[in-house]
């Protein structure tokens, strides 16, 4: 069943023909590969017969008219199958460098006549073969033109081969290369990861190809639409294991240049994109199970982690989630195995490599004693996200990175469905409101936002591609697809998805292909009616940035929509073919009774049923089914606020959170008065549920960021101390004075909120409790009395209230931690100290990989920036070292976007704005890479913050003082 994919009879016959053709091609390729291997009489990466290597060239001058000066490949050649052999050396060479060597043969089919072969190659030292970087042979009787010359183009990361005559349309050829690359610790391409286990330092070779790093591993056509089959061989130390996308089908022990090695061969992959490749060599151990007695599921990790059963939870949940997706997609898992591996060094949270998914240890490993409920939830949702990609993204892939949202937005939506199936008592479907919808509202309300799908010409360079891995693609994509599923209904949505996946299996699409199949599902569902086609409705959400605020006047029934901007004075320079109006599906209720869904199809409309008076009230966007904010006339606002204060449970948990979040953001945008927003927090002394509290605390956090360096903070503390005290006492009671764990999943989270906020607002009994727990741990480091759920809050608060002794103790515990999630908690908590010299020392540690791993450097800097004391220290640190930071992380790292965003969150003065602008000017020559958009947004948000503080400071101060009496 693991290899079976549901297809029609005709498609099945076609695939059989293709399979036979592929087999012939593989045999031909293997013969060509072996001939070339024998001709050069060397192992991977050895010099050619002339014993020379082609030197790395000086970058050619940029002339945009030549084909190799464009970042997109020409459309003249298509790869069919690669035969790749790699040999990573896990010990340094004579120059103290870790390297890998390799060979690659790729069968290419000519679809347009050309005398140029342009293929991606980056940071590879290509071996000279008869004086050129590659050799070319014909297949199936085709005669290969001679190579005229070859060269590397550094800027666009190409190997260019100019031929003496043209390739024939329809003919196939084999391009053969040999190469050496550095197995660096840069977390990109084929790279090196190191860790210590039982006092022994160990080195592994692993990979991260997304988005443009496969070219750093072997020459390839490194674009998502240029799918091919990959036949992989890895040469490695006999005491290690090798993994790749396909199942291992053979091993052979050899001696090469006097070195005993093992050669592991893998089954050819399905037709797939280069960014989904994975190659790993390690001495890891695994646990395994089978699904439906056929599909092999394995969890790989450090031997100690497997021994301590840290992979067991991931193994248990994987089978359930895969079964859910098979049913949901109505499509069998298309591969023969599902490997998942936890890596000590990994830049992203996880990566959906087809058949070999890679994770940070914190996203896969769960210790039943030391890990928290949040750790378990993160593992479940990340696994669910990555496994969703096995079909949506891997089986069917976007044609180009401008449609990345189609991959990531979809996985970010259905991850909650998969997690909910695996853990049905967690109410996971509600979490999308906090984690995606409310999160992305803040970014998408800026004039510098961008549409989900951008024009292809806006996304070309590796840095521009990396910029697409942002909140808009992931979180807005999830929110908009959830809205689509809501108004179509989940069965119709799933029916369209299944049709889409079966039609385009092993191919590439644009987002409109999905709309086509969803529209077919609508038309084939009796009684299903929507006011316009899926295309017409959804293009307004995908092709224009932002979202609307829907204004409802319950006195007249008037309804209007307007593009919502946090700064109403900001200028939107990006044009929209829809003039920033949307087709808005509005689910709503009247005085607690659900009403028929209403569609707002123009800028202004009237819906008489929304006209109410007396004690009746209207609530729109129930359960936040739509991607928009809602504003009401003041009378309806007053009725909703009165309901919160008298009977808040008459409203759903999600809608209580929505009222708070909408009100605060409408106030930021000057649509309602700031005091109305603050009034939504008055009922919180009676609120016991998690989601409304998180919504409130996130919005209050903005006030803290703006005012914690001013006298307003004292008044804020006094008010919220009064509001949080009942929640703190509630949890003291139900946990029998903190000796028991709350039973509900979300109650466990809200206990953390209660303790964190109570301590932060100055509840003395909370602070004494924290100091007591931490002191007990310091006295007996081998026995930690702090429950895993509370560790993050307790560690941070204790370090903030303490001094160098508390900090040094946490540092020792961090260095000795054997569980990644425990190390992660301590690493974040170390940034909580109020001692500037400790923070400066900690910032310096981020430059030393022996102290802070490279994968954690930028997030550690962000943690320090979240500390009031750390803001100026971090800002100075980053400005002084921008060159270094940019070189290390800026060109492609997904985390670099967050670095700028995190550091500038508190900026709210004219002085800080001018410093930000100067920083931009001073570093134009260096560049900003994947942080370029974040920098633009930081300038815009700082301007908005300055205005907001100036306009609201006195009103906020007065309100807090009055309500605290």
């Amino acid at each position: 069943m693991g290899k079976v994919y549901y297809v029609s009879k005709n498609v099945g016959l076609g695939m059989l023909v293709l399979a036979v053709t592929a087999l012939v091609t593989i045999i031909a390729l293997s013969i060509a590969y072996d001939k070339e291997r024998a001709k050069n009489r060397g192992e991977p990466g050895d010099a050619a017969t002339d014993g020379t290597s082609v030197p790395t060239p000086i970058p050619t001058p940029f002339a945009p008219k030549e084909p190799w000066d464009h970042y997109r490949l020409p459309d003249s050649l298509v790869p069919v199958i690669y035969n790749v052999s790699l040999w990573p050396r896990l010990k340094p060479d004579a120059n103290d460098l870790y390297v890998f060597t390799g060979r690659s043969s790729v069968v290419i089919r000519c679809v347009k006549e050309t005398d140029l072969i342009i293929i991606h190659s980056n940071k590879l030292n290509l071996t000279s073969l008869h004086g050129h970087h590659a050799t070319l042979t014909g297949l199936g009787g085709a005669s290969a033109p001679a190579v005229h010359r070859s060269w590397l183009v550094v800027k666009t990361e190409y190997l260019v081969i100019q031929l003496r005559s043209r390739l024939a349309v329809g003919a196939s050829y084999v391009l053969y290369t040999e190469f050496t690359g550095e197995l660096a610790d840069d977390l990109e391409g084929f790279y090196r990861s190191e860790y210590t286990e039982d006092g022994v330092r160990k080195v592994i070779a692993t990979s991260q190809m997304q988005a443009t790093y496969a070219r750093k591993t072997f020459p390839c056509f490194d674009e998502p639409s240029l799918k091919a089959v990959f036949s992989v061989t890895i040469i490695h130390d006999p005491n290690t294991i090798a993994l790749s996308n396909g199942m291992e089908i053979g091993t052979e022990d050899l001696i090469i240049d006097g070195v005993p090695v093992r050669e592991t061969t893998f089954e050819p992959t399905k037709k797939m994109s280069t960014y989904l490749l994975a190659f790993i060599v390690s001495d890891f151990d695994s646990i395994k199970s089978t699904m439906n007695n056929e599909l092999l599921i394995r969890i790989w990790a450090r031997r100690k982690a497997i021994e301590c059963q840290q992979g067991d939870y991931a193994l248990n949940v994987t089978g359930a989630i895969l079964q859910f997706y098979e049913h949901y997609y109505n499509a069998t898992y298309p591969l023969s195995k599902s490997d998942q591996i936890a890596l000590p060094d990994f830049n992203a949270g996880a990566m959906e490599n087809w058949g070999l998914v890679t994770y940070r240890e914190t996203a896969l490993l769960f210790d039943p004693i030391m890990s928290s409920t949040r750790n378990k939830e993160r593992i479940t949702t990340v696994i669910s996200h990555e496994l969703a990609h096995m079909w949506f993204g891997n089986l069917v892939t976007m044609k180009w990175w401008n449609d990345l949202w189609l991959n990531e937005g979809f996985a970010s939506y259905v991850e909650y469905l998969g997690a909910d199936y695996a853990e049905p008592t967690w109410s996971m479907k509600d979490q999308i409101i906090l984690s995606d919808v409310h999160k992305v509202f803040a970014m998408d309300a800026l004039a510098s936002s961008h549409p989900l799908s951008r024009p292809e010409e806006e996304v070309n360079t590796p840095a521009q591609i990396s910029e697409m891995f942002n909140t808009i693609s992931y979180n807005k994509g999830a929110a908009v697809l959830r809205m689509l599923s809501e108004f179509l209904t989940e069965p119709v949505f799933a029916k369209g998805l299944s049709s889409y996946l079966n039609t385009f299996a092993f191919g590439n699409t644009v987002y409109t292909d999905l709309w086509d199949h969803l529209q077919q599902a609508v038309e084939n569902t009796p009684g299903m009616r929507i006011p316009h086609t899926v295309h017409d409705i959804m293009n307004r959400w995908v092709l224009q940035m932002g979202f609307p605020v829907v204004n409802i006047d319950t006195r007249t029934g008037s309804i209007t929509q307007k593009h919502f901007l946090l700064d109403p004075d900001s200028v939107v320079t990006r044009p929209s073919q829809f003039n920033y109006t949307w087709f808005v599906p509005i689910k709503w209720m009247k005085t607690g009774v659900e009403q028929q869904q209403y569609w707002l199809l123009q800028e202004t409309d009237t819906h008489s049923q929304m006209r109410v008076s007396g004690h009746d009230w209207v609530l729109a966007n129930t359960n936040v089914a739509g991607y928009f904010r809602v504003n009401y006339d003041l009378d309806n606002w007053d009725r909703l606020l009165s309901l919160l204060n008298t009977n808040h449970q008459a409203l759903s948990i999600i809608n209580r959170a929505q009222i708070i979040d909408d009100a605060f953001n409408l106030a930021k945008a000057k649509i309602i008065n700031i005091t109305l927003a603050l009034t939504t927090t008055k009922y919180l002394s009676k609120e016991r549920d998690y989601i409304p509290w998180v919504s409130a605390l996130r919005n209050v956090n903005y006030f803290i960021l703006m005012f914690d360096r001013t006298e307003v903070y004292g008044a804020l503390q006094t008010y919220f101390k009064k509001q949080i005290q009942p929640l703190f006492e509630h949890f003291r009671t139900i946990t029998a004075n903190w000796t028991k764990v709350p039973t509900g999943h979300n109650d466990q989270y809200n206990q953390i909120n209660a303790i964190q906020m109570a301590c932060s607002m100055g509840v003395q009994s909370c602070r004494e409790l924290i100091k007591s727990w931490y002191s007990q741990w310091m006295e007996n480091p081998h026995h930690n009395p702090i429950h895993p759920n509370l560790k993050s809050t307790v560690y941070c608060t204790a370090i903030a209230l303490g001094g160098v002794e508390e900090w040094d103790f946490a540092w020792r515990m961090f260095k000795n931690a054997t569980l990644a999630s425990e190390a992660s908690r301590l690493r974040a908590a170390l940034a909580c100290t109020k001692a500037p010299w400790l923070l400066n020392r900690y910032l310096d540690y981020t430059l030393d990989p022996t102290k802070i791993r490279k994968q954690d450097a930028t997030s550690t800097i962000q943690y320090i920036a979240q500390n009031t004391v750390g803001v100026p220290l971090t800002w100075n640190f980053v400005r002084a070292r921008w060159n270094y930071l940019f070189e290390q992380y800026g060109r492609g790292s997904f985390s670099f976007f967050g670095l700028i965003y995190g550091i500038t969150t508190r900026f709210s003065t004219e002085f800080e704005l001018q410093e930000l602008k100067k920083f931009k000017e001073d570093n134009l020559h260096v560049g900003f890479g994947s942080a370029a958009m974040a920098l633009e947004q930081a300038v815009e948000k700082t301007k908005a913050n300055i205005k907001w503080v100036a306009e609201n400071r006195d009103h906020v101060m007065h309100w807090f003082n009055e309500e605290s009496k």
Side-chain angles (χ1 to χ4, degrees):
M1 185 174 179
K3 289 188 178 181
V4 176
Y5 188 76
Y6 178 78
V7 290
S8 68
K9 186 184 288 185
N10 288 341
V11 174
L13 288 170
M15 287 178 69
L16 181 61
V17 173
L18 285 173
V20 173
T21 305
L23 181 60
V24 172
T25 304
I26 289 169
I27 293 168
L29 176 58
S30 298
I31 293 168
Y33 179 81
D34 288 338
K35 280 182 180 176
E36 202 60 62
R37 185 173 182 173
K39 189 191 300 180
N40 292 299
R41 296 178 193 245
E43 293 311 317
D46 289 349
T49 50
D50 61 3
T52 62
S53 257
V54 179
T56 302
I58 299 168
T60 56
F62 184 67
K65 292 180 181 177
E66 299 293 352
W68 51 84
D69 292 325
H70 297 278
Y71 283 95
R72 295 293 299 275
L73 286 165
D75 59 358
S76 49
L77 302 173
V78 176
V80 178
I81 182 168
Y82 294 80
N83 196 327
V84 179
S85 177
L86 296 169
W87 183 5
R89 312 305 206 277
L90 301 187
K91 293 180 180 177
D93 64 11
N95 298 315
D96 206 31
L97 283 178
Y98 289 85
V99 300
F100 65 90
T101 54
R103 287 195 175 87
S104 172
S105 292
V106 54
V107 173
I108 51 177
R109 189 173 70 251
C110 179
V111 293
K112 284 187 179 179
E113 203 174 67
T114 182
D115 62 353
L116 282 176
I117 297 175
I118 299 178
I119 187 170
H120 285 110
S121 179
N122 184 31
K123 298 183 180 178
L124 294 173
N125 189 9
L126 293 159
T127 302
S128 176
L129 302 170
H130 314 300
H132 298 294
H133 293 84
T135 63
L136 186 71
T137 53
L139 266 186
S143 176
V147 176
H148 173 53
R149 65 190 185 105
S150 63
W151 68 96
L152 294 166
V153 184
V154 175
K155 185 179 180 68
T156 47
E157 302 178 348
Y158 286 141
L159 163 62
V160 183
I161 300 162
Q162 191 165 45
L163 305 171
R164 294 192 180 275
S165 59
R166 293 179 179 273
L167 299 173
V169 173
S172 294
Y173 305 88
V174 179
L175 183 71
Y176 177 83
T177 54
E178 294 184 3
F179 46 87
T180 302
E182 184 182 355
L183 197 68
D185 62 350
D186 57 0
L187 312 176
E188 298 171 355
F190 203 22
Y191 71 91
R192 179 178 90 253
S193 174
E194 300 177 16
Y195 66 99
T196 301
E197 194 167 64
D198 292 332
V200 178
R201 178 176 161 276
K202 297 185 176 182
V203 178
I204 65 175
T206 185
S207 62
Q208 168 63 20
M209 304 305 183
Q210 193 181 52
T212 58
Y213 303 130
R215 65 192 66 172
K216 192 169 167 281
T217 306
F218 65 101
C220 56
F221 297 89
D222 200 10
E223 293 188 359
S225 65
L226 295 173
K227 289 187 170 185
V229 173
F230 296 85
S231 184
V232 175
T233 300
I234 297 178
I235 298 169
H236 56 102
D237 186 291
N239 296 316
T240 61
I241 55 98
L243 297 171
S244 190
N245 304 81
M247 180 75 80
E248 312 90 84
I249 56 173
T251 60
E252 184 181 359
D253 288 338
L254 307 167
I255 294 179
I256 301 176
D257 295 335
V259 179
V261 295
R262 179 166 295 159
E263 185 178 73
T264 299
T265 305
F266 301 89
E267 65 179 346
T269 68
K270 303 292 186 182
K271 189 178 178 185
M272 60 183 277
S273 303
T274 49
Y275 79 87
L276 295 169
L277 287 165
F279 312 116
I280 297 174
V281 174
S282 71
D283 75 339
F284 283 8
D285 201 357
S286 68
I287 50 175
K288 64 183 178 181
S289 66
T290 56
M291 191 176 88
N292 302 325
N293 297 317
E294 196 163 340
L295 175 65
L296 177 64
I297 300 171
R298 297 185 294 194
I299 305 295
W300 295 87
R302 291 176 292 105
R303 291 179 174 275
K304 206 77 171 175
I306 293 296
E307 184 184 312
C308 295
Q309 301 180 314
Q310 292 175 15
D312 290 11
Y313 179 73
L315 185 66
N316 292 337
V317 83
T318 294
I321 292 171
L322 282 173
Q323 283 183 324
F324 168 78
Y325 285 135
E326 285 194 331
H327 175 75
Y328 183 73
Y329 294 130
N330 190 28
T332 304
Y333 179 77
L335 306 181
S336 60
K337 57 125 175 157
S338 174
D339 276 336
Q340 298 178 97
I341 186 166
L343 298 169
D345 294 290
F346 192 66
N347 195 34
M351 177 60 209
E352 66 270 18
N353 312 304
W354 216 6
L356 177 52
V357 185
T358 44
Y359 295 82
R360 280 196 179 203
E361 289 191 342
T362 52
L364 193 67
L365 303 182
F366 178 83
D367 187 286
I369 297 171
M370 294 186 65
S371 297
S372 69
T373 298
R374 192 171 294 280
N375 295 144
K376 182 181 275 192
E377 183 182 301
R378 171 167 164 72
I379 289 164
T380 308
T381 54
V382 175
I383 288 175
S384 186
H385 180 102
E386 302 310 324
L387 294 183
H389 277 308
M390 299 301 109
W391 291 265
F392 207 104
N394 296 7
L395 182 68
V396 180
T397 312
M398 78 264 148
K399 281 188 177 173
W400 184 243
W401 298 106
N402 63 310
D403 270 339
L404 175 71
W405 76 273
L406 196 60
N407 276 19
E408 296 301 347
F410 183 84
S412 297
Y413 166 50
V414 299
E415 73 180 54
Y416 294 97
L417 309 185
D420 184 70
Y421 179 83
E423 295 286 1
T425 64
W426 288 1
S427 303
M428 284 305 302
K429 291 180 183 179
D430 293 346
Q431 300 290 349
I432 193 172
I433 305 304
L434 297 173
S435 301
D436 291 82
V437 183
H438 286 175
K439 177 180 177 181
V440 73
F441 270 158
M443 201 67 76
D444 206 22
L446 299 176
S448 54
S449 185
H450 67 84
L452 276 170
S453 184
R454 301 174 75 170
E456 281 194 45
E457 59 270 18
E458 287 187 17
V459 185
N460 285 301
T461 69
Q464 288 169 341
I465 292 168
S466 286
E467 270 194 5
M468 295 303 294
F469 290 82
N470 60 32
T471 302
I472 298 296
S473 296
Y474 283 74
N475 307 115
K476 181 177 180 177
V480 164
L481 288 169
R482 174 176 175 268
M483 176 177 69
L484 172 59
S485 175
E486 288 277 349
F487 72 72
L488 290 181
T489 72
E490 192 68 35
V492 174
F493 184 70
K495 186 178 175 184
L497 282 180
S498 177
S499 169
Y500 167 85
L501 289 170
N502 280 281
T503 300
F504 296 106
F506 307 106
N508 296 80
T509 62
V510 294
Y511 70 91
T512 53
D513 295 320
L514 178 59
W515 297 167
D516 288 338
H517 285 263
L518 291 171
Q519 183 63 34
Q520 288 172 21
V522 169
E523 292 168 0
N524 293 333
T525 303
M528 180 78 214
R529 295 286 182 272
I530 52 177
H532 289 276
T533 65
V534 172
H535 283 262
D536 289 345
I537 294 168
M538 293 309 297
N539 283 352
R540 290 172 178 255
W541 297 96
V542 169
L543 298 179
Q544 58 184 353
M545 69 180 190
F547 57 91
V549 53
V550 172
N551 294 285
I552 300 173
D553 190 334
T554 62
R555 297 166 301 182
T556 64
S558 167
I559 309 174
T560 63
Q561 62 166 295
K562 186 180 181 181
H563 183 193
F564 181 78
L565 293 167
L566 275 178
D567 179 1
D569 301 322
S570 59
V571 178
V572 177
T573 56
R574 185 185 287 271
S576 164
Q577 60 182 300
F578 307 109
N579 296 316
Y580 291 103
T581 59
W582 291 262
F583 292 156
V584 188
I586 303 176
K587 293 188 175 183
W588 65 289
M589 65 167 55
K590 184 192 293 186
T591 321
V593 179
E594 290 281 350
Q595 306 293 309
Q596 184 176 350
Q597 179 172 273
Y598 163 79
W599 282 87
L600 179 59
L601 301 175
Q602 56 254 346
E603 203 168 331
T604 304
D605 197 11
T606 300
H607 190 51
S608 60
Q609 293 180 29
M610 287 189 182
R611 188 164 56 238
V612 297
S613 59
H615 295 294
D616 287 340
W617 47 269
V618 166
L619 180 78
N621 202 16
T622 52
N623 290 322
V624 195
Y627 184 67
F628 56 93
R629 293 201 181 277
V630 187
N631 182 37
Y632 307 96
D633 58 283
L634 286 177
D635 290 344
N636 198 64
W637 270 117
D638 286 342
R639 289 190 287 265
L640 290 175
L641 291 173
S642 175
L643 187 63
L644 280 178
N645 284 313
T646 57
N647 183 22
H648 64 275
Q649 291 181 328
L651 298 168
S652 73
I653 289 171
I654 290 178
N655 283 117
R656 300 201 301 266
Q658 172 214 15
I659 287 171
I660 294 168
D661 197 65
D662 276 353
F664 272 95
N665 284 277
L666 291 167
K668 277 188 203 175
K670 303 185 204 174
I671 294 172
I672 64 173
N673 194 291
I674 189 64
T675 56
L676 191 159
L678 288 167
T679 303
T680 64
T681 68
K682 290 176 70 172
Y683 95 99
L684 287 174
S685 58
K686 293 176 274 189
E687 181 64 84
R688 300 292 177 265
D689 283 301
Y690 168 68
I691 289 177
W693 261 109
V694 173
S695 181
L697 293 178
R698 284 183 180 175
N699 284 287
V700 169
N701 188 56
Y702 179 73
F703 284 68
I704 293 171
L705 291 172
M706 294 302 101
F707 295 129
D708 65 358
R709 295 173 284 177
T710 74
E711 62 177 332
V712 176
Y713 186 65
L716 179 152
Q717 259 193 322
T718 304
Y719 171 74
F720 278 106
K721 183 178 180 181
K722 183 178 73 171
Q723 296 302 90
I724 197 67
Q725 190 94 40
L727 189 68
F728 181 74
E729 294 302 329
H730 166 75
F731 280 105
R732 188 209 298 270
T733 301
I734 70 168
T735 61
N737 202 26
W738 315 111
T739 59
K740 297 178 181 178
V741 178
T743 53
H745 184 72
N746 282 350
D747 286 339
Q748 292 177 35
Y749 286 167
N750 216 23
Q751 180 191 19
I752 300 166
N753 285 337
I755 293 174
Q756 188 275 327
M757 191 65 171
C759 284
S760 179
M761 294 299 109
V763 175
Q764 196 56 36
S765 59
C766 178
R767 293 184 172 187
E768 294 302 324
L769 178 71
I770 295 288
K771 287 193 282 189
S772 165
W773 281 338
Y774 197 79
S775 294
Q776 289 176 51
W777 187 31
M778 288 179 69
E779 289 166 9
N780 185 1
H782 300 293
H783 176 68
N784 189 337
I786 306 159
H787 190 276
N789 287 352
L790 306 178
K791 283 180 176 179
S792 291
T793 296
V794 172
Y795 294 172
C796 179
T797 305
I799 289 169
L801 295 172
V804 65
E805 191 178 348
E806 284 76 12
W807 198 96
D808 284 346
F809 174 77
W811 177 255
R812 287 197 302 276
M813 294 299 101
F814 166 70
K815 293 305 287 180
N816 293 330
T818 56
L819 180 66
S821 56
E822 178 70 359
S824 181
R825 285 190 283 263
L826 286 160
R827 182 170 58 84
L830 286 162
C832 297
T833 179
K834 301 302 179 187
W837 72 272
L838 284 172
L839 292 173
N840 269 327
R841 184 174 76 178
Y842 198 28
L843 282 167
D844 287 339
Y845 284 2
T846 65
L847 303 177
D848 183 350
T850 66
K851 291 184 168 68
I852 300 294
R853 287 185 176 276
K854 271 194 170 184
Q855 67 171 15
D856 298 323
T858 56
S859 62
T860 303
I861 296 169
Q862 287 177 64
Y863 289 145
I864 299 168
Q866 290 170 13
N867 183 335
T868 317
V869 180
V871 174
L873 307 179
T874 310
W875 183 221
N876 290 339
F877 176 86
V878 167
R879 285 185 295 174
R881 295 163 179 80
W882 184 254
N883 252 319
Y884 171 81
L885 291 169
F886 179 74
E887 283 301 317
Q888 292 294 314
Y889 308 105
R891 298 186 185 278
S893 169
F894 305 156
S895 61
F896 209 57
F897 179 94
L899 181 65
I900 292 294
Y901 179 79
I903 290 170
T904 59
T905 304
R906 269 189 171 85
F907 283 14
S908 56
T909 66
E910 189 63 38
F911 178 71
E912 287 166 331
L913 176 62
Q914 294 310 316
E915 282 195 320
L916 195 54
K917 288 180 176 178
K918 187 174 188 306
F919 168 70
K920 184 180 175 182
E921 291 170 13
D922 290 349
N923 290 284
L924 283 173
H925 68 288
V926 178
F928 303 99
S930 55
M933 187 191 304
L935 189 61
E936 293 301 319
Q937 292 174 342
V939 171
E940 184 181 349
K941 289 193 82 171
T942 302
K943 288 177 180 177
N945 290 344
I946 292 167
K947 289 181 188 175
W948 187 87
V949 169
E951 292 166 3
N952 292 289
R953 185 182 186 280
D954 293 342
H955 298 297
V956 169
M957 180 81 169
H958 176 76
W959 191 90
F960 281 135
N961 282 331
E962 288 298 309
E963 293 298 326
S964 300
K965 288 180 180 176

